[in-house]
Amino acid sequence: MTEPNVRKGMPPVKLPREEFERRYRSQFVDPAFAQLQHQLDAIVGAAWDAYSHSRKSPATRKAGAGFADPDYDLAVDWLAARAAVIEARRRHDDAGAVPRILIINGSARSEHTCPGEMSKSWRMVKLAEPVFVEMGLAVDILDLSRLASEFGKNIRPCKSCVATAMPLCHWPCSCYPNYSLGQTDDWMNEIYPLWVAAHGILIVTPVNWYHVPGGLKAMMDRLVCADGGNPDPTSTHGKKADEAKALELKGWSYPRHLAGRHFGLIVHGDSVGAEGVRRTLSDWLTDMHLISAGRFGELDGYVGYMEQYAMSHRELDKDREFQQEVLNTARALARAVKLARHGRLEDPGAGISDPVPK
């Protein structure tokens, strides 16, 4: 019997010009563009040239000192993202600076788009925020609902470079922007520094079909580079898989770029799944070597259990106990950050070697 070809290549995705133009022009169906067809013809032609020649990163410069190959051309977008991460790390490590909390709203719902109503998650974010401020911490808010309501906000999908070899997954991610494919406006280059600068992260999220909302999951996937990612793309000369595999087989160090930060979780549902989602998030963050704020720092529960959706905000108004648990979660995280800052709360696993860092 003939063995099946388990490494048969995947179907090609390169588009003929006609199909490329059809898709590109679909952005301009508004009648307002009708008088601009001549200009659009020229733009489409330029876009086809970039696509057909696969110009992912048209603006580059030499990597320079500090990289494995100083003469390698790196995308200026990636260099800017790296500079922002380095500056964020400097602020994080500044012992004289006010500790920072990053609160993440995981819900996609807001009154600024078709749901027509803010989310309960956002209300919980705003409940928690003053707790941190009153305890002397600085607060940044990452509102992932903007992915659904704001022009030009995207989190592109992870391409799973890490599954080929860990060093192929660059820190910060170098997969985007990809100008030839129109994969631009990627929000992650602004999100990475928020995580790096934070001493504590609080994620507030609903349960969507037994899991987190899509925007939060997309961010989680793209944070894979924070857990063992390669900070030097010249060491793999971009995305050369063979070079990345050789580096990994020599012994990869798995640098934990977010290690030591504390986290808190608030997961709420209306019928099922809250505990499972909370555990999944806790496992994910712990695996990246972040530290739980403890028993009161991780909350899962139900607001308006099995009640009608139309009553959900009213149910939250009535549920004073759940509101108090939200405040307690914020307090627990704030205390953990402040204790750690003063050297009075340490990671119990500090100094223990992990024999299998993957």
Side-chain angles (χ1 to χ4, degrees), residues 21-147:
E21 287 201 18
R22 187 190 68 79
R23 296 187 187 185
Y24 196 90
R25 289 181 184 275
S26 68
Q27 305 170 79
F28 307 104
V29 297
D30 191 300
F33 294 103
Q35 298 181 0
L36 301 172
Q37 289 307 307
H38 179 71
Q39 293 92 324
L40 279 175
D41 289 343
I43 291 171
V44 170
W48 168 253
D49 185 71
Y51 173 79
S52 61
H53 292 94
S54 300
R55 286 198 297 274
K56 174 191 172 187
S57 303
T60 63
R61 69 170 175 81
K62 299 297 182 185
F67 290 92
D69 184 353
D71 290 326
Y72 184 77
D73 293 321
L74 285 175
V76 297
D77 303 274
W78 185 85
L79 288 167
R82 173 179 180 266
V85 164
I86 291 173
E87 171 57 20
R89 186 182 303 121
R90 183 198 65 75
R91 288 188 281 120
H92 174 273
D93 295 345
D94 183 355
V98 175
R100 305 197 71 83
I101 298 292
L102 174 62
I103 308 178
I104 299 171
N105 173 30
S107 177
R109 185 161 67 116
S110 82
E111 69 270 37
H112 303 299
T113 186
C114 48
E117 185 176 67
M118 75 172 73
S119 67
K120 296 185 295 297
S121 295
W122 178 253
R123 291 183 59 190
M124 295 174 199
V125 166
K126 300 307 286 184
L127 269 175
E129 180 184 15
V131 173
F132 297 116
V133 175
E134 290 166 8
M135 294 182 70
L137 305 178
V139 177
D140 294 310
I141 295 178
L142 174 58
D143 179 10
L144 293 177
S145 76
R146 293 167 64 187
L147 290 166

Side-chain angles (χ1 to χ4, degrees), residues 51-295:
Y51 173 79
S52 61
H53 292 94
S54 300
R55 286 198 297 274
K56 174 191 172 187
S57 303
T60 63
R61 69 170 175 81
K62 299 297 182 185
F67 290 92
D69 184 353
D71 290 326
Y72 184 77
D73 293 321
L74 285 175
V76 297
D77 303 274
W78 185 85
L79 288 167
R82 173 179 180 266
V85 164
I86 291 173
E87 171 57 20
R89 186 182 303 121
R90 183 198 65 75
R91 288 188 281 120
H92 174 273
D93 295 345
D94 183 355
V98 175
R100 305 197 71 83
I101 298 292
L102 174 62
I103 308 178
I104 299 171
N105 173 30
S107 177
R109 185 161 67 116
S110 82
E111 69 270 37
H112 303 299
T113 186
C114 48
E117 185 176 67
M118 75 172 73
S119 67
K120 296 185 295 297
S121 295
W122 178 253
R123 291 183 59 190
M124 295 174 199
V125 166
K126 300 307 286 184
L127 269 175
E129 180 184 15
V131 173
F132 297 116
V133 175
E134 290 166 8
M135 294 182 70
L137 305 178
V139 177
D140 294 310
I141 295 178
L142 174 58
D143 179 10
L144 293 177
S145 76
R146 293 167 64 187
L147 290 166
S149 60
E150 184 175 332
F151 178 82
K153 276 282 182 278
N154 297 288
I155 295 179
R156 301 285 175 178
C158 176
K159 298 177 182 177
S160 300
C161 298
V162 65
T164 294
M166 189 74 242
L168 200 64
C169 182
H170 299 145
W171 168 254
C173 177
S174 66
C175 292
Y176 304 98
N178 185 324
Y179 291 94
S180 68
L181 295 180
Q183 295 171 344
T184 57
D185 298 321
D186 184 67
W187 199 5
M188 287 305 299
N189 282 348
E190 298 175 43
I191 290 175
Y192 291 130
L194 291 173
W195 277 77
V196 173
H199 299 86
I201 292 94
L202 176 64
I203 297 177
V204 185
T205 184
V207 178
N208 284 11
W209 280 122
Y210 293 87
H211 216 299
V212 298
L216 177 53
K217 183 58 169 68
M219 182 190 69
M220 292 169 64
D221 288 349
R222 293 287 303 285
L223 278 165
V224 67
C225 57
D227 191 54
N230 181 1
D232 185 356
T234 74
S235 66
T236 57
H237 292 95
K239 293 291 185 175
K240 291 191 175 179
D242 289 345
E243 293 185 19
K245 289 183 177 184
L247 275 177
E248 185 174 59
L249 293 174
K250 286 180 182 178
W252 188 246
S253 61
Y254 283 86
R256 311 289 184 175
H257 300 289
L258 297 175
R261 290 155 180 81
H262 287 78
F263 71 85
L265 299 170
I266 298 171
V267 179
H268 63 96
D270 53 61
S271 58
V272 291
E275 183 179 1
V277 168
R278 193 263 305 162
R279 287 181 173 179
T280 295
L281 289 171
S282 185
D283 287 348
W284 165 61
L285 291 161
T286 301
D287 284 348
M288 291 203 298
H289 290 208
L290 281 78
I291 306 166
S292 173
R295 161 80 171 73

